[in-house]
Amino acid sequence: MTTSSTKRTGHYTEWAAMFAVGSELCRRCYDVAFTVGNAPTKDLICEAPSGHPFKVQVKGTSTKNFVLVQKRVLGTETDDSLVFVVVLVPPDSSQRIQFFVLTHAEVQ
């Protein structure tokens, strides 16, 4: 729990965002695997209930601001199986987490 004297770092925001996306996908009966380590273009590997596989890159933020995406993550070719989810994880736990889903082409 965050108290008024504790400031949540970006590290916690990113992890909260990644688990929130995984949780929402699982609630909708998607299979989700978390990548750990150096996988710059995917945080989650997923499969839709229909069997369609896709990858998710999650970007978490605690304020309504811009989100930086590194060039190596974007790549040069559009990947139709890559989805970006920007997650607003507000510092106040009484506020709702918000999800913004974009295709790879939209982010490029």
Side-chain angles (χ1 to χ4, degrees), residues 6-91:
T6 305
K7 182 174 178 355
R8 186 177 66 213
T9 65
H11 168 78
Y12 294 113
T13 299
E14 287 291 331
W15 276 98
M18 192 165 51
F19 281 106
V21 171
S23 172
E24 287 299 315
L25 288 169
C26 286
R27 280 182 356 107
R28 290 164 173 79
C29 298
Y30 286 72
D31 289 324
V32 177
F34 291 85
T35 63
V36 180
N38 292 334
T41 61
K42 53 193 159 291
D43 292 315
L44 307 172
I45 299 173
C46 307
E47 186 176 305
S50 65
H52 177 73
F54 61 98
K55 302 169 289 215
V56 179
Q57 176 68 37
V58 179
K59 294 293 179 187
T61 183
S62 59
T63 60
K64 291 182 179 180
N65 204 345
F66 64 91
V67 176
L68 295 175
V69 179
Q70 297 174 344
K71 286 183 182 181
R72 68 184 173 115
V73 172
L74 287 178
T76 56
E77 300 292 322
T78 300
D79 183 351
D80 292 334
S81 69
L82 179 60
V83 176
F84 284 78
V85 181
V86 178
V87 184
L88 176 60
V89 183

